[in-house]
Amino acid sequence: MMQLTINGKPRELAPECCLLDFLEKQQVNPQLIAIEYNGDIVKREHFGEIVLHEGDRLEIVHMVGGGTQ
Amino acid sequence: MMQLTINGKPRELAPECCLLDFLEKQQVNPQLIAIEYNGDIVKREHFGEIVLHEGDRLEIVHMVGGGTQ
Amino acid sequence: MMQLTINGKPRELAPECCLLDFLEKQQVNPQLIAIEYNGDIVKREHFGEIVLHEGDRLEIVHMVGGGTQ
Amino acid sequence: MMQLTINGKPRELAPECCLLDFLEKQQVNPQLIAIEYNGDIVKREHFGEIVLHEGDRLEIVHMVGGGTQ
Amino acid sequence: MDDSVVVAGETLRSRLILGTGKYRTMEEMVAALDAADVELVTVALRRLDLDDPSKKTILDYIDTSRFRLLPNTAGCQTAEEALRVARLARSMGLSNWVKLEVIPDSKYLLPDPIGTLDAARDMVADGFVVLPYINDDPVLAKKLEDVGCATVMPLASPIGSGQGLVNFEQIKIIIEQARIPVVVDAGLGAPSDASLAMEIGADMCLVNTGVAQATNPALMGAAFAEGVRAGRKAFLAGRIPKREYATASSPMEGALR
Amino acid sequence: MDDSVVVAGETLRSRLILGTGKYRTMEEMVAALDAADVELVTVALRRLDLDDPSKKTILDYIDTSRFRLLPNTAGCQTAEEALRVARLARSMGLSNWVKLEVIPDSKYLLPDPIGTLDAARDMVADGFVVLPYINDDPVLAKKLEDVGCATVMPLASPIGSGQGLVNFEQIKIIIEQARIPVVVDAGLGAPSDASLAMEIGADMCLVNTGVAQATNPALMGAAFAEGVRAGRKAFLAGRIPKREYATASSPMEGALR
Amino acid sequence: MDDSVVVAGETLRSRLILGTGKYRTMEEMVAALDAADVELVTVALRRLDLDDPSKKTILDYIDTSRFRLLPNTAGCQTAEEALRVARLARSMGLSNWVKLEVIPDSKYLLPDPIGTLDAARDMVADGFVVLPYINDDPVLAKKLEDVGCATVMPLASPIGSGQGLVNFEQIKIIIEQARIPVVVDAGLGAPSDASLAMEIGADMCLVNTGVAQATNPALMGAAFAEGVRAGRKAFLAGRIPKREYATASSPMEGALR
Amino acid sequence: MDDSVVVAGETLRSRLILGTGKYRTMEEMVAALDAADVELVTVALRRLDLDDPSKKTILDYIDTSRFRLLPNTAGCQTAEEALRVARLARSMGLSNWVKLEVIPDSKYLLPDPIGTLDAARDMVADGFVVLPYINDDPVLAKKLEDVGCATVMPLASPIGSGQGLVNFEQIKIIIEQARIPVVVDAGLGAPSDASLAMEIGADMCLVNTGVAQATNPALMGAAFAEGVRAGRKAFLAGRIPKREYATASSPMEGALR
């Protein structure tokens, strides 16, 4: 197993996990999220190219209701 | 000629003048006015009964644009 | 004993009680009050003339702190 | 004669004029002013060392009534 | 949304009343009444000018099958004068409603509480539907309700001043106490003023100068009508309380840092 | 009356922007957006909750073919954080518009003028359409316009406070100076507040708490939409000046005495 | 600067009147009257508690050689009740002055214009010096002056509310019209409120709750006295007009650029 | 009551600062400074008029053994200009204090938050005691405190406008957050304005136009001094809260009915 930080929390995944597989396993619709991988934003069309490694930092964000601050 | 006060001003009319004749001569539409004859209000259906005499006081009023005071 | 109404409450006093005696017994300083006896205001110089009777209504008021209402 | 710019305006002075002499001729009290000589502020104790030359820029300022802007 | 108001048993669809004075032209007035789509319009009673008999009167312009007239007693300084003017207006057969005004001075144009109450009592006894114009006095408003007035019409600010709802707190007390409709009158300069009056629970607004003297009266009439509707909806929708401090409207949980 | 507004080259039919936070339910939010009939709605960006993957997101509720999303940078305390959030939001492919907020403290929730200007400069350079949220500071507003912002969004009063247009005079100066649209944001508690903002010449209003936390958000959404339209019409119609003293709206000539 | 005021022929050195109700202790009251250095203080009339005869009364605390008592008719709902209370107070031989209050309801505590005018007329006829408490009604104020009142005492805002001078414009009208002193009463919460009342030309202020319920009544009494003096001086000194726009107070000529 | 304030380690007995501009005559200015009995007075720096060398300067009128001078940077549009003017003023040997103003436009005369912060940072590094003039921006105020300013001086309303404390809520936030003295500056038109500023906890007030352009500047100077003291006392004495409704200040128990 490898250790990653996803959305600020430690998380264990099987090694050589592909990002899209991870999202699918989590039942996350890639159309509704944005991703920052090790500090770099990943466009949706490149989600498929990301393979997760030990120590990676992943931010997965989505839109929520909001007005000001 | 007889002297009357109409709308606060002195006015001369031929004697025994009937109110409706006066209004007609003045081109005043009886439907659009209210009348006070010697201090008493005259309903429109009784306009025809009024005959003007020397010294009468007549008030002829109509509606104008207005809001407050 | 006779029945009076003093400041809106029923009260029993010995008959033929003089107003000044009553005040003295109550330790009330006549300089600091005003009196209405059966609906009439009694000036202080006349307090001594009042003798209380059965059924009398007495109001004894004084000044208290107050601003508005 | 030499050309200087004093308080933003061209001015002619006799050559080799000393700053203190100029102020004295102008009846200006050195205690009540501040001076910028060719862009540098001159402390009052150094006024005596300044000799004016062709092309010099001199700013002579004083305090006036003021509140905001 | 149907949200009509009932005054003296009559159902009114529009909660805006327009005055008909001070327009630059009769055409502008007609356009404003039309654009605002009101039902009730105030008019004044004046002596006919016998030297100019062919002059059109306001009744030549206002379609009385569409607009209901509310004659006022503007110009009256005493209860007696007001009663006389009201009776003359009623004798024309157009309405037994009267906007009661008893205004003793010509500078500040403020209503007389004593004369207004006296006149209201007499008018109600004489069969009028009385809508009295008053200062922002809750005690007087209650007395007028008690003698049988159909509404009370407190002023928002001096007539024609466009200052808006100046004495807001007293108007709120009048509204809280009233069991008859409260019509906020005088001084409303813009739709925000009318909206605010409705938001605090007024039943209707009356506007004259704010529309008549606007650069474009018809557009301003429409604006006031919309402002009254907005304020009424907001009253029904239950506004948020005012708070001294800020509270975020986006959630803080899950924020990226 | 067609009276649309153009922001960054895009024509918007509605001059009201609604926030989507603080609704009691998503259904109430959808009903309010629908009733107010707005085009632009703000959203925030937050970390996905990986422990509850089946939870619906706001995009499951908002029809993006009808409503245009305006992501904000709520929660960012520095220019760097704001730029990061804006880029993440843009990467979702829904919009390159951003409501810029740089708010360093969590009590008063007031924007940082320095950080906001820095972020705006960087965002414009990076191709964003930037709508910055600011205090009522006309000098800052001008600087933001000069660096290429699409609008300025001064606050009316503290966020969520419902106090209305507190510093009215400074907002008027911002409007007078601006050549880009001015959107009055934050603190609008009722339609009268929004109407007033429009009456002094604001181009748009943004409301969130005032609608979301009303007892009936859908009805309040409709009320705000109407208030904004009323205020806009009044601005175009040219309101009367405020006067210190009364002037009658009925003619005095010909009054019966 | 000597700047006394004359009420009913009596010259008063201090333009502040203090009420004596609602203090936490009699000692705090005495300290406040002393610190504020007033001359006129209001008191109320109440039934003596015969079950507690040794209780000290307010006259045990107030030095009537230093302070002049102004009995009020607080608690009276009709003109008849007010006249009865005023006569009782007068019979004590301390004063024939009376602060007239006719207040029919116990929630809003607003004065009755009709009952107040009736009572004032009767009291003047009966030889009283009458200082009536009124709503902000200029027409009523004039009538009270005409029946012979010594002052009028319009309320600034609801009693005890501390809201300050809410209906400023109407108070200004009362002041403009009055030929008797105008005393602004009720609702003054801080010296700035009292100063403002004096700045617009009021002759005196009356304060009770604002001092009595302050954390430190003596210090607040001194503060109000100072505020009244400041406002009076400013009225005499002629304040600058309010302007919409800024104008510099440093000269621009000769600025270094 | 001794209630002095400490600015940059210096104890000041008076909490009022007066400006010296816009007086009709130097004599009126001297009389006002004397009557107000202030310690700190602002002055501006301007080019000497070499065509009129015998003209008296302000230093011929102000007794610098009694009054401490606070030079401002009025007229400066950038941080650089402000630094230059401050250094020139300091070179006169009278003070290393500076009232920092960076004002880019000449119409609204509002300070530039960015330029002011830049200049303040540089001036503090250069050894100045810096008192910056700012808009009502609590975030900026905090930043200025953090870079070492001696006070912050938020404006009450536009300079010279006499509008008073317009954006009250934001000034309150500045005061709540500050650990350095807060001086309310600009727009104070009457003592009630200054008193209010002090009541909400301001440490000092600065007034110029309000005194200089009054009909009687000396009397108005005394009035402002008294207003500042009144407001300060009220702040210390703890004012009553504002309430929406009335509460009686006479006891109801024992009332005659």
Side-chain angles (χ1 to χ4, degrees):
Chain A
M1 297 298 278
M2 62 181 187
Q3 290 277 1
L4 294 85
T5 303
I6 304 184
N7 284 358
K9 291 182 193 158
R11 195 157 184 126
E12 293 206 330
L13 294 186
E16 295 290 307
C17 176
C18 165
L19 172 59
L20 277 181
D21 290 349
F22 169 72
L23 293 177
E24 196 176 333
K25 223 172 289 170
Q26 293 287 326
Q27 297 181 278
V28 173
N29 178 351
Q31 300 299 317
L32 303 182
I33 58 165
I35 283 188
E36 200 187 69
Y37 175 62
N38 291 333
D40 292 321
I41 289 166
V42 185
K43 288 192 178 168
R44 192 175 299 130
E45 54 267 36
H46 300 139
F47 283 4
E49 301 161 14
I50 303 284
V51 179
L52 302 173
H53 296 95
E54 175 75 24
D56 279 354
R57 284 171 297 109
L58 198 63
E59 292 284 354
I60 308 174
V61 299
H62 68 144
M63 280 172 179
V64 302
T68 299
Q69 175 69 45
Chain B
M1 298 297 279
M2 64 183 184
Q3 287 278 0
L4 295 83
T5 304
I6 305 184
N7 286 356
K9 292 181 195 160
R11 195 160 184 122
E12 293 207 327
L13 294 185
E16 294 289 306
C17 174
C18 165
L19 172 59
L20 277 182
D21 290 349
F22 170 71
L23 294 177
E24 195 176 334
K25 222 173 288 170
Q26 291 288 326
Q27 296 180 279
V28 174
N29 178 351
Q31 299 301 318
L32 302 181
I33 58 165
I35 283 188
E36 201 186 68
Y37 176 63
N38 291 334
D40 293 320
I41 290 167
V42 185
K43 288 193 177 166
R44 192 175 300 129
E45 55 264 35
H46 300 138
F47 283 2
E49 302 162 14
I50 303 286
V51 179
L52 302 173
H53 296 97
E54 174 77 23
D56 280 352
R57 283 169 300 107
L58 197 63
E59 291 285 352
I60 309 173
V61 298
H62 68 143
M63 281 173 179
V64 301
T68 299
Q69 175 69 48
Chain C
M1 298 297 277
M2 63 181 185
Q3 288 277 0
L4 295 83
T5 303
I6 305 184
N7 284 357
K9 292 183 196 157
R11 198 161 182 123
E12 292 206 328
L13 294 185
E16 295 289 306
C17 175
C18 164
L19 173 60
L20 277 182
D21 290 348
F22 171 72
L23 293 177
E24 195 176 334
K25 221 172 289 170
Q26 293 287 326
Q27 298 181 277
V28 174
N29 178 351
Q31 299 301 318
L32 303 181
I33 58 164
I35 283 188
E36 201 187 68
Y37 176 62
N38 290 334
D40 291 321
I41 290 167
V42 185
K43 289 194 177 166
R44 191 176 300 129
E45 54 266 36
H46 300 138
F47 283 2
E49 303 161 13
I50 303 284
V51 179
L52 302 173
H53 296 96
E54 173 77 22
D56 278 354
R57 283 170 299 108
L58 197 62
E59 292 285 353
I60 309 174
V61 298
H62 67 144
M63 279 173 182
V64 301
T68 299
Q69 175 67 49
Chain D
M1 298 297 278
M2 62 182 185
Q3 289 276 0
L4 295 84
T5 304
I6 305 183
N7 285 356
K9 291 182 194 158
R11 199 162 181 121
E12 293 206 328
L13 294 186
E16 295 289 306
C17 175
C18 164
L19 173 59
L20 279 181
D21 291 348
F22 170 72
L23 294 176
E24 195 176 336
K25 223 172 289 170
Q26 293 288 326
Q27 297 181 279
V28 174
N29 179 351
Q31 299 300 317
L32 302 181
I33 58 165
I35 283 188
E36 201 187 67
Y37 175 61
N38 291 334
D40 294 320
I41 290 167
V42 185
K43 289 192 178 167
R44 192 176 300 130
E45 54 266 36
H46 299 138
F47 283 3
E49 301 160 14
I50 303 285
V51 179
L52 303 173
H53 295 98
E54 173 76 22
D56 280 352
R57 284 170 297 110
L58 198 64
E59 292 284 353
I60 309 173
V61 299
H62 68 145
M63 281 171 180
V64 302
T68 299
Q69 173 70 47
Chain E
M1 191 181 73
D2 173 47
D3 181 41
S4 52
V5 59
V6 176
V7 176
E10 301 284 331
T11 300
L12 299 171
R13 186 182 32 77
S14 167
R15 289 173 173 272
L16 177 63
I17 305 172
L18 284 188
T20 57
K22 294 186 86 173
Y23 285 87
R24 284 173 294 259
T25 65
M26 283 291 174
E27 288 70 25
E28 286 196 348
M29 181 200 73
V30 168
L33 301 189
D34 181 59
D37 197 20
V38 294
E39 281 166 284
L40 203 55
V41 299
T42 62
V43 292
L45 212 70
R46 291 291 176 268
R47 281 168 168 166
L48 191 69
D49 181 2
L50 292 171
D51 299 330
D52 187 2
S54 66
K55 199 159 84 178
K56 288 194 171 184
T57 84
I58 201 165
L59 292 177
D60 293 307
Y61 291 94
I62 294 181
D63 174 0
T64 53
S65 70
R66 176 172 177 194
F67 301 104
R68 176 195 288 265
L69 299 185
L70 173 58
N72 68 24
T73 64
C76 296
Q77 301 193 337
T78 65
E80 292 68 36
E81 290 174 11
L83 191 58
R84 178 188 179 200
V85 165
R87 284 174 173 159
L88 267 168
R90 184 173 55 180
S91 79
M92 292 182 67
L94 291 164
S95 177
N96 69 333
W97 290 28
V98 60
K99 181 181 175 212
L100 168 59
E101 304 178 17
V102 178
I103 297 182
D105 93 295
S106 59
K107 177 162 183 199
Y108 299 109
L109 300 175
L110 290 166
D112 174 1
I114 320 290
T116 301
L117 182 61
D118 286 346
R121 206 182 276 114
D122 291 347
M123 285 176 172
V124 168
D126 198 24
F128 283 96
V129 170
V130 184
L131 299 84
Y133 173 65
I134 60 171
N135 207 331
D136 55 352
D137 186 328
V139 177
L140 179 65
K142 201 76 198 126
K143 286 181 190 279
L144 287 162
E145 177 178 319
D146 290 345
V147 302
C149 288
T151 67
V152 282
M153 307 183 82
L155 59 91
S157 51
I159 309 171
S161 72
Q163 291 176 17
L165 203 54
V166 167
N167 202 356
F168 182 85
E169 294 298 337
Q170 305 252 54
I171 303 273
K172 267 169 71 178
I173 296 175
I174 292 175
I175 291 168
E176 266 183 62
Q177 294 189 333
R179 285 163 307 181
I180 51 175
V182 175
V183 185
V184 173
D185 186 6
L188 302 175
S192 54
D193 299 330
S195 186
L196 180 58
M198 300 303 291
E199 287 162 15
I200 64 173
D203 296 279
M204 304 181 80
C205 288
L206 192 162
V207 181
N208 190 338
T209 306
V211 169
Q213 294 281 305
T215 310
N216 181 338
L219 188 54
M220 192 58 95
F224 267 100
E226 215 152 36
V228 165
R229 284 196 301 267
R232 176 65 186 172
K233 280 197 182 78
F235 172 70
L236 297 173
R239 67 157 283 161
I240 57 169
K242 293 192 185 192
R243 294 175 198 283
E244 192 171 353
Y245 291 116
T247 49
S249 57
S250 299
M252 282 304 97
E253 204 195 323
L256 270 183
R257 291 302 309 279
Chain F
M1 191 183 71
D2 173 47
D3 181 41
S4 52
V5 59
V6 177
V7 176
E10 301 283 330
T11 299
L12 299 170
R13 187 183 30 78
S14 167
R15 289 172 173 272
L16 177 63
I17 304 172
L18 285 188
T20 58
K22 295 187 85 173
Y23 285 87
R24 285 173 294 258
T25 65
M26 283 292 174
E27 288 70 25
E28 285 196 349
M29 181 200 73
V30 169
L33 300 190
D34 182 59
D37 197 20
V38 294
E39 281 166 285
L40 204 54
V41 299
T42 63
V43 292
L45 211 69
R46 289 292 176 268
R47 282 169 167 167
L48 191 68
D49 181 1
L50 292 171
D51 300 330
D52 188 2
S54 64
K55 200 160 84 179
K56 288 195 172 182
T57 81
I58 200 164
L59 293 178
D60 293 308
Y61 291 94
I62 294 180
D63 174 1
T64 52
S65 71
R66 176 171 176 194
F67 300 104
R68 176 194 290 262
L69 299 184
L70 174 59
N72 69 24
T73 64
C76 296
Q77 301 193 335
T78 64
E80 293 68 36
E81 290 175 12
L83 191 57
R84 179 187 178 199
V85 165
R87 284 173 173 159
L88 267 167
R90 184 173 56 181
S91 79
M92 292 182 67
L94 292 165
S95 176
N96 68 334
W97 289 29
V98 59
K99 181 180 175 213
L100 168 59
E101 304 179 15
V102 178
I103 296 182
D105 94 296
S106 60
K107 177 164 183 198
Y108 299 109
L109 299 176
L110 291 166
D112 174 2
I114 319 291
T116 302
L117 182 60
D118 287 345
R121 208 182 276 113
D122 291 348
M123 285 176 171
V124 169
D126 199 24
F128 284 97
V129 169
V130 185
L131 299 83
Y133 173 65
I134 59 170
N135 206 331
D136 55 352
D137 186 328
V139 177
L140 179 65
K142 201 76 198 128
K143 285 181 190 281
L144 287 163
E145 176 178 319
D146 290 345
V147 303
C149 288
T151 66
V152 284
M153 306 183 81
L155 60 90
S157 50
I159 309 171
S161 72
Q163 290 175 17
L165 203 55
V166 167
N167 202 356
F168 182 84
E169 293 299 337
Q170 305 253 53
I171 302 274
K172 267 169 71 177
I173 296 175
I174 292 175
I175 291 168
E176 265 183 60
Q177 294 188 335
R179 285 162 309 178
I180 51 177
V182 175
V183 184
V184 173
D185 187 6
L188 303 176
S192 54
D193 299 330
S195 186
L196 179 58
M198 300 303 291
E199 287 162 15
I200 64 172
D203 296 279
M204 303 181 80
C205 288
L206 192 161
V207 181
N208 190 341
T209 306
V211 169
Q213 295 280 304
T215 310
N216 181 339
L219 188 54
M220 192 58 94
F224 266 99
E226 215 152 36
V228 165
R229 284 197 299 269
R232 176 67 185 170
K233 280 198 183 78
F235 172 71
L236 297 173
R239 67 157 284 161
I240 57 169
K242 293 191 184 192
R243 294 175 197 283
E244 194 171 355
Y245 292 117
T247 49
S249 57
S250 299
M252 282 305 98
E253 203 196 325
L256 271 182
R257 292 303 307 280
Chain G
M1 190 183 72
D2 173 47
D3 181 40
S4 52
V5 59
V6 177
V7 176
E10 300 284 330
T11 299
L12 299 170
R13 184 184 32 78
S14 168
R15 291 173 173 271
L16 177 62
I17 304 172
L18 283 188
T20 59
K22 296 187 84 172
Y23 285 87
R24 283 174 295 259
T25 66
M26 283 292 175
E27 288 69 26
E28 286 196 349
M29 181 199 72
V30 169
L33 300 189
D34 182 58
D37 197 22
V38 294
E39 281 167 284
L40 204 54
V41 299
T42 63
V43 292
L45 212 69
R46 290 291 176 267
R47 282 168 167 167
L48 191 69
D49 180 1
L50 292 171
D51 300 331
D52 187 2
S54 66
K55 200 160 83 179
K56 289 194 170 183
T57 81
I58 200 164
L59 292 177
D60 293 307
Y61 291 94
I62 294 181
D63 173 1
T64 52
S65 71
R66 176 172 176 193
F67 301 104
R68 176 194 289 263
L69 299 184
L70 174 58
N72 68 24
T73 63
C76 296
Q77 301 192 337
T78 64
E80 293 69 34
E81 290 174 12
L83 191 57
R84 179 188 178 200
V85 165
R87 283 173 173 159
L88 266 167
R90 183 173 57 180
S91 79
M92 292 181 66
L94 291 166
S95 176
N96 68 333
W97 290 28
V98 60
K99 180 178 175 215
L100 168 59
E101 304 179 18
V102 178
I103 296 183
D105 94 295
S106 60
K107 177 164 184 198
Y108 299 109
L109 299 175
L110 290 167
D112 174 1
I114 319 290
T116 302
L117 183 60
D118 286 346
R121 207 183 276 113
D122 290 348
M123 286 175 171
V124 169
D126 198 25
F128 283 97
V129 170
V130 184
L131 298 84
Y133 173 65
I134 59 169
N135 206 332
D136 56 352
D137 186 327
V139 176
L140 179 65
K142 202 76 199 130
K143 286 181 190 280
L144 287 163
E145 178 178 319
D146 290 345
V147 304
C149 287
T151 67
V152 283
M153 307 185 82
L155 60 90
S157 50
I159 308 171
S161 72
Q163 290 176 18
L165 203 54
V166 167
N167 202 356
F168 182 85
E169 293 299 336
Q170 304 250 54
I171 303 274
K172 267 168 71 177
I173 296 174
I174 291 175
I175 291 168
E176 266 183 61
Q177 293 188 334
R179 285 162 308 180
I180 51 177
V182 175
V183 185
V184 173
D185 186 5
L188 302 175
S192 54
D193 299 331
S195 186
L196 180 58
M198 300 303 290
E199 287 162 16
I200 65 172
D203 296 280
M204 303 182 81
C205 288
L206 192 161
V207 181
N208 190 339
T209 305
V211 169
Q213 294 281 304
T215 309
N216 182 339
L219 188 54
M220 192 58 94
F224 266 100
E226 215 151 38
V228 165
R229 284 197 300 269
R232 176 66 184 171
K233 280 197 183 77
F235 172 70
L236 296 173
R239 66 156 286 162
I240 57 169
K242 294 192 184 190
R243 294 176 198 283
E244 193 171 355
Y245 292 115
T247 50
S249 57
S250 298
M252 282 306 97
E253 202 195 325
L256 269 182
R257 292 301 309 277
Chain H
M1 191 183 70
D2 173 46
D3 181 40
S4 52
V5 60
V6 177
V7 177
E10 301 283 331
T11 299
L12 299 171
R13 186 183 31 77
S14 167
R15 289 172 174 272
L16 177 63
I17 304 172
L18 284 187
T20 58
K22 295 187 85 171
Y23 286 87
R24 284 174 293 260
T25 66
M26 283 292 174
E27 289 68 26
E28 286 196 348
M29 181 199 72
V30 169
L33 300 189
D34 182 58
D37 198 20
V38 294
E39 281 166 284
L40 204 55
V41 299
T42 62
V43 292
L45 212 69
R46 290 290 175 269
R47 283 170 167 166
L48 191 70
D49 181 1
L50 292 171
D51 300 330
D52 187 2
S54 64
K55 200 160 84 179
K56 289 195 171 183
T57 83
I58 199 164
L59 292 177
D60 293 307
Y61 291 95
I62 294 181
D63 174 0
T64 53
S65 70
R66 174 171 178 196
F67 301 104
R68 176 195 289 264
L69 299 185
L70 173 58
N72 68 25
T73 63
C76 296
Q77 302 192 335
T78 65
E80 294 68 35
E81 290 174 10
L83 191 57
R84 179 188 179 198
V85 166
R87 284 174 173 159
L88 268 167
R90 183 173 57 180
S91 79
M92 292 181 67
L94 292 165
S95 176
N96 68 334
W97 290 28
V98 60
K99 181 180 176 214
L100 168 58
E101 304 178 17
V102 179
I103 296 183
D105 93 296
S106 60
K107 176 162 183 199
Y108 299 109
L109 300 174
L110 290 166
D112 174 1
I114 320 290
T116 302
L117 182 60
D118 286 346
R121 208 182 276 115
D122 291 348
M123 285 176 172
V124 169
D126 198 24
F128 284 97
V129 170
V130 185
L131 299 85
Y133 173 64
I134 58 170
N135 206 332
D136 55 353
D137 186 328
V139 177
L140 178 66
K142 200 78 198 127
K143 286 180 190 280
L144 287 163
E145 177 178 320
D146 291 344
V147 303
C149 288
T151 67
V152 282
M153 307 183 82
L155 60 91
S157 51
I159 310 170
S161 72
Q163 291 175 16
L165 204 54
V166 167
N167 201 356
F168 182 84
E169 293 299 336
Q170 305 252 53
I171 303 273
K172 267 169 72 178
I173 296 175
I174 291 174
I175 291 168
E176 266 183 60
Q177 294 189 333
R179 286 162 309 180
I180 51 177
V182 175
V183 185
V184 173
D185 186 7
L188 302 175
S192 54
D193 299 330
S195 186
L196 179 59
M198 300 303 290
E199 287 161 16
I200 64 172
D203 296 280
M204 302 182 81
C205 288
L206 193 162
V207 181
N208 191 339
T209 307
V211 169
Q213 294 281 305
T215 310
N216 181 340
L219 187 54
M220 191 58 93
F224 267 100
E226 216 152 34
V228 165
R229 284 197 300 269
R232 176 66 185 170
K233 280 197 183 78
F235 172 71
L236 296 173
R239 66 157 284 161
I240 57 169
K242 294 191 184 191
R243 294 174 199 283
E244 193 170 355
Y245 292 117
T247 49
S249 57
S250 298
M252 282 305 99
E253 204 196 323
L256 270 181
R257 292 302 308 278

